[in-house]
Amino acid sequence: MPRVWDIPVRDATRVRDARVAAEQAAALAGLDERRTAAAALVATELATNLLKHAEGGQVLIDVVDPPVLRDGREESRVVQIAAIDHGPGIRDVPAAVRDGFSTTRSLGAGLGTCRRLADDFGLHSTPGRGTVAVARVGSTPRTGAVPAGTTAAAWPDGGVAGRAVPPDGDPWTGPDDPVSRDEPGPGGAPRAASAPLAAMACGGLTGHAGAPGLAGRGASPTSRNDAAPTGSRGRPGTGAAPDPSPAERGGPAGHALREAPARAPRDPLARVRAGGVNIPYGGAEYSGDAWTCVRSGERVTLMLADGLGHGPEAARASSAAVAALHRWAHLSPAEALRHLHEALRGTRGAAVALAQLDLRAGLLKFAGIGNVGARLRADGSWRALLSRPGIVGVHRPTTLREEEARWAADRLLILHTDGLPSRWTPPDDSGAPAADPAVTAAVTIRDASSPARPVRDDTAVAVLTPTPPERP
């Protein structure tokens, strides 16, 4: 069943709770001692930042699949740590993830530490609305993301492409980091040059990414700690590239950060990513909602299941749907739903939505039963994908209709359970770059709720999005 740790961070005692939850999640994911320590440190830093800069917030910890699925092998699961707040936001996101400057007289290494230790790190902030940070920590640090010798560059959207990667090692590794460049890699071989650059696209949902010659919107009375001193030109001895100019950042209040571009993937399906956020109702141990993304050959299927009601029995129903999809992912959404209906007999049943992408054909197919929302952004506007009434495992409609849509680089698919308010609608942000899908999911939940109006049921949001385009 989908174990989710939901930690409301309102005082310093909950920071320890976040750390302990990260350690427990790491044990479930099978992380070794070093990566468990990395996950615990990331959770501690994000929870501490909530208190320092947002007067509290929420930390969600889950064990999830990696955002990009590979064919022919089973992927190791990763610990996902999401921090959500409704605070003042961050005025300058690119500065906030660099080390050395603090508005609270700390060492100014919090977000920079998260960025170094995580396999993926995404940050989104809107002045006056709050901040979302998502980190994923797997069994080994990410490697091979950037070819050796790649230098920093400005992306067209005004974000920072990344730091330089010297041929002899990882620019982010320091003597006090849990990951040492001198430590041998798998099998005892020397560790290859790597770039655990974890700053993913920011502003991808609400359209606050910087544009060429355009300063980012708004300002905040305070800047999150971990920003570099003004005028800093990189950290000596690390191979870090000079800090970007305000123009490169999209202006003094820029909100966009992009991951350093990798070489074009040989596998076309690596150009799509999936991610999600799951919140159990009332801080329960298990969520009745579950999402998964499964690859079968040239097809990637994203599923969101909402077990009837909430609590352990609802979680068993949604978990049964996840297990069944792994057996039937080679089928079309309508055919898979018929098999899921049989697999869920004897459970409470669930509302289930399936979105299947054939990236080689550039075609998205969708089918759903029950109250799971689906919104597809295409050509600058949002389109609702409709499910049929019923409960998978209890009552299935006689006929199932599949909706089809062309898939392209500007597409964005959001699936959500009925824990979101019924009046929720996605923003019109057709010009924004693709964000990390889990960040998009967390921002969706943040903007559909508030400290005074928390989620009203188990709530899950799953997102399918293209991978940011590679540099030519």
Side-chain angles (χ1 to χ4, degrees), residues 316-466:
R316 288 189 180 93
S318 59
S319 297
V322 169
L325 180 65
H326 281 77
R327 297 195 299 271
W328 306 110
H330 61 285
L331 301 177
S332 70
E335 293 171 331
L337 278 171
R338 294 187 181 97
H339 287 280
L340 264 63
H341 179 72
E342 297 302 320
L344 267 63
R345 288 188 182 277
T347 72
R348 284 187 177 182
V352 179
L354 295 177
Q356 187 177 87
L357 175 61
D358 186 332
L359 194 57
R360 297 184 193 275
L363 185 64
L364 180 74
K365 294 183 179 181
F366 174 85
I369 298 175
N371 192 15
V372 174
R375 309 290 179 88
L376 175 67
R377 188 187 70 192
D379 301 322
S381 61
W382 290 92
R383 163 189 170 188
L385 304 178
L386 301 179
S387 298
R388 297 291 302 275
I391 303 173
V392 178
V394 178
H395 173 69
R396 178 176 65 84
T398 305
T399 60
L400 282 173
R401 181 173 62 92
E402 290 183 348
E403 291 196 59
E404 294 186 356
R406 302 304 302 178
W407 185 263
D410 67 336
R411 302 308 195 248
L412 175 66
L413 176 69
I414 298 179
L415 306 181
H416 66 88
T417 60
D418 60 357
L420 290 188
S422 58
R423 62 181 177 275
W424 174 80
T425 56
D428 182 11
D429 66 335
S430 57
D436 184 289
V439 171
T440 299
V443 171
T444 298
I445 289 177
R446 183 201 68 188
D447 290 349
S449 63
S450 72
R453 190 184 70 247
V455 295
R456 60 185 183 181
D457 194 358
D458 296 322
T459 302
V461 176
V463 174
L464 192 68
T465 181

Side-chain angles (χ1 to χ4, degrees), residues 78-325:
V78 300
V79 176
Q80 177 174 289
I81 305 164
I84 303 174
D85 69 63
H86 293 85
I90 301 175
R91 179 180 55 83
D92 190 343
V93 167
V97 295
R98 294 195 302 274
D99 294 332
F101 177 80
S102 173
T103 59
T104 58
R105 297 187 179 183
S106 66
L107 293 177
L111 293 180
T113 296
C114 298
R115 185 182 183 186
R116 288 189 298 274
L117 296 182
D119 300 322
D120 299 291
F121 182 73
L123 184 66
H124 178 284
S125 191
T126 307
R129 295 172 66 183
T131 299
V132 162
V134 176
R136 285 184 289 270
V137 179
S139 56
T140 57
R142 185 177 58 175
T143 60
V146 182
T150 300
T151 57
W155 283 74
D157 62 23
V160 181
R163 302 275 188 182
V165 181
D168 60 346
D170 174 4
W172 295 111
T173 304
D176 56 347
D177 287 336
V179 180
S180 171
R181 76 177 66 183
D182 295 326
E183 185 165 343
R191 190 172 297 278
S194 62
L197 301 181
M200 304 296 288
C202 300
L205 183 65
T206 57
H208 284 70
L214 176 66
R217 304 176 194 171
S220 163
T222 183
S223 173
R224 194 71 60 113
N225 78 326
D226 316 324
T230 302
S232 171
R233 305 304 295 170
R235 290 184 289 146
T238 64
D243 295 339
S245 66
E248 290 173 327
R249 292 198 300 262
H255 294 268
L257 274 179
R258 296 295 289 272
E259 185 181 19
R263 295 189 188 277
R266 293 181 179 179
D267 182 358
L269 291 182
R271 296 199 303 266
V272 65
R273 300 175 300 163
V277 173
N278 195 349
I279 303 180
Y281 177 64
E285 185 174 359
Y286 296 102
S287 173
D289 296 348
W291 70 273
T292 191
C293 190
V294 182
R295 175 173 177 176
S296 177
E298 299 178 356
R299 298 176 177 180
V300 170
T301 304
L302 179 68
M303 184 188 77
L304 184 57
D306 181 356
L308 194 63
H310 52 82
E313 293 303 317
R316 288 189 180 93
S318 59
S319 297
V322 169
L325 180 65

Side-chain angles (χ1 to χ4, degrees), residues 4-47:
V4 181
W5 290 263
D6 180 5
I7 303 105
V9 180
R10 302 299 178 194
D11 57 68
T13 63
R14 303 314 299 270
V15 173
R16 177 188 177 277
D17 295 340
R19 176 180 60 79
V20 171
E23 292 170 344
Q24 293 172 343
L28 284 181
L31 271 58
D32 63 19
E33 184 176 354
R34 288 175 61 244
R35 299 306 287 162
T36 296
L41 183 54
V42 169
T44 299
E45 294 291 351
L46 292 181

